[in-house]
Amino acid sequence: MLSFPHSGDVYPEDFGYDPALSYSQIDHPSDKYVDELFGAAANLSLPTIKAEFPRAYVDVNRHQHDIDADMLDDPKAWPGRFLPSGSVEVGATLFWSKSYGTPIYNRKLSVDEAHSRLSRYFIPYHQTMTHMVENLRREHGEVYIIDCHSMTQFDHKLRGGGERPQIDIGTRNGSSCAPDLAEKMAELFTARGYDVGMNKRFIGGEVTLRYGWPKIGQHILQVELRRDLYMNEATRERNENFAKVQADCAWVLEHYKTYIENRA
């Protein structure tokens, strides 16, 4: 199965981001078009799950306690815990505070609206994904999940600003899936002419951590596609290579599915 936790573009009316921001600024964190690039999943009868809401609104690839308390109007009233990750400075926690350096809000989030985002979006997403994974495991004995993402061409300046590989495969440094699965995915993208990294820039987030348990036959790997391959990062428009990247992703999915079906 495939998951698309960051490709949503349906903006809830209660988002309440700074109205001075342009669409490209507020949409910049999203993995725009990634679900389209892997659209061949439907023809291959592969189940998929997609978060329709935008990543900046609530990020289902973060832990539910990964919250920047400074974003809330009354942190003492928050019913949960605050266990923020190292992404607070860049604003990439459960509720994003920045869009690559640009503040998303000109206000504080109320405790009620933050809690609502968890209960109405985050929890249902993971309940649904858990249900899908368990059904597949009961039916087939094993589950193979591809968690689909995109990344900017260059690292954030806080990480040195270097150019990233065209494809980066994350496996939580080998803990989320059997080694041959990641190797096969890398081999297939390499065969299509891409520069492929393995846990080079992203090892995987909450989704790979939560669902990757190879000891019980539950395998997941994260695939990051570099955005400049298929889109203009500034305007968010598809570029002239979009159809080629889409065809390459279809080819990879088809051959990866065949590999899984024939895997001992």
Side-chain angles (χ1 to χ4, degrees):
M1 65 173 284
L2 281 73
S3 68
F4 301 99
H6 292 158
S7 294
D9 57 4
V10 179
Y11 280 73
E13 292 183 359
D14 64 353
F15 197 152
Y17 55 83
D18 186 345
L21 296 180
S22 66
Y23 172 75
S24 61
Q25 285 176 309
I26 191 61
D27 193 59
H28 202 271
S30 297
D31 293 336
K32 194 175 183 67
Y33 306 127
V34 171
D35 55 324
E36 294 182 40
L37 292 172
F38 285 101
N43 296 330
L44 295 171
S45 300
L46 299 177
T48 65
I49 180 172
K50 175 188 172 184
E52 296 288 356
F53 46 92
R55 174 189 195 180
Y57 181 75
V58 59
D59 192 337
V60 296
N61 200 32
R62 295 287 186 267
H63 192 276
Q64 69 183 69
H65 301 306
D66 186 3
I67 299 172
D68 179 1
D70 288 339
M71 292 184 67
L72 302 181
D73 63 355
D74 187 6
K76 292 183 179 179
W78 182 249
R81 290 175 287 175
F82 294 110
L83 297 173
S85 66
S87 298
V88 169
E89 187 173 359
V90 296
T93 53
L94 182 70
F95 311 114
W96 279 51
S97 65
K98 298 177 184 177
S99 175
Y100 294 92
T102 302
I104 291 176
Y105 300 98
N106 57 355
R107 65 185 182 90
K108 298 283 189 178
L109 297 181
S110 73
V111 168
D112 284 344
E113 67 179 316
H115 194 264
S116 177
R117 294 184 190 188
L118 271 174
S119 61
R120 295 175 57 206
Y121 295 89
F122 183 95
I123 297 301
Y125 183 90
H126 284 289
Q127 286 177 328
T128 302
M129 187 163 178
T130 297
H131 180 71
M132 293 174 68
V133 169
E134 283 303 302
N135 281 347
L136 286 171
R137 199 154 66 90
R138 279 195 298 268
E139 182 177 356
H140 301 288
E142 290 192 320
V143 185
Y144 301 90
I145 308 164
I146 304 172
D147 193 36
C148 305
H149 295 260
S150 70
M151 58 184 176
T152 56
Q153 182 177 1
F154 297 100
D155 278 329
H156 193 282
K157 60 183 180 181
L158 294 175
R159 297 178 177 174
E163 188 174 51
R164 293 167 169 168
Q166 294 177 319
I167 309 289
D168 199 22
I169 297 171
T171 65
R172 303 293 302 185
N173 290 320
S175 67
S176 70
C177 68
D180 67 293
L181 298 172
E183 291 166 3
K184 173 55 68 172
M185 184 64 75
E187 174 190 314
L188 291 172
F189 272 109
T190 299
R192 302 305 289 181
Y194 293 95
D195 168 35
V196 182
M198 183 79 70
N199 295 300
K200 191 171 182 180
R201 297 308 306 128
F202 298 99
I203 65 171
E206 178 67 16
V207 172
T208 49
L209 181 63
R210 183 178 293 213
Y211 299 101
W213 296 96
K215 289 184 179 179
I216 61 170
Q218 194 166 297
H219 306 268
I220 184 170
L221 53 82
Q222 176 176 288
V223 175
E224 295 269 0
L225 305 177
R226 210 173 72 191
R227 294 177 184 174
D228 63 298
L229 295 172
Y230 57 88
M231 67 183 288
N232 181 309
E233 293 192 60
T235 66
R236 312 289 289 166
E237 297 295 328
R238 300 175 180 86
N239 66 22
E240 66 278 5
N241 295 319
F242 187 91
K244 178 187 181 304
V245 176
Q246 188 177 47
D248 288 339
C249 289
W251 184 90
V252 168
L253 274 186
E254 181 179 0
H255 285 76
Y256 193 72
K257 180 175 183 283
T258 299
Y259 177 78
I260 294 299
E261 291 171 342
N262 295 313
R263 185 172 181 262

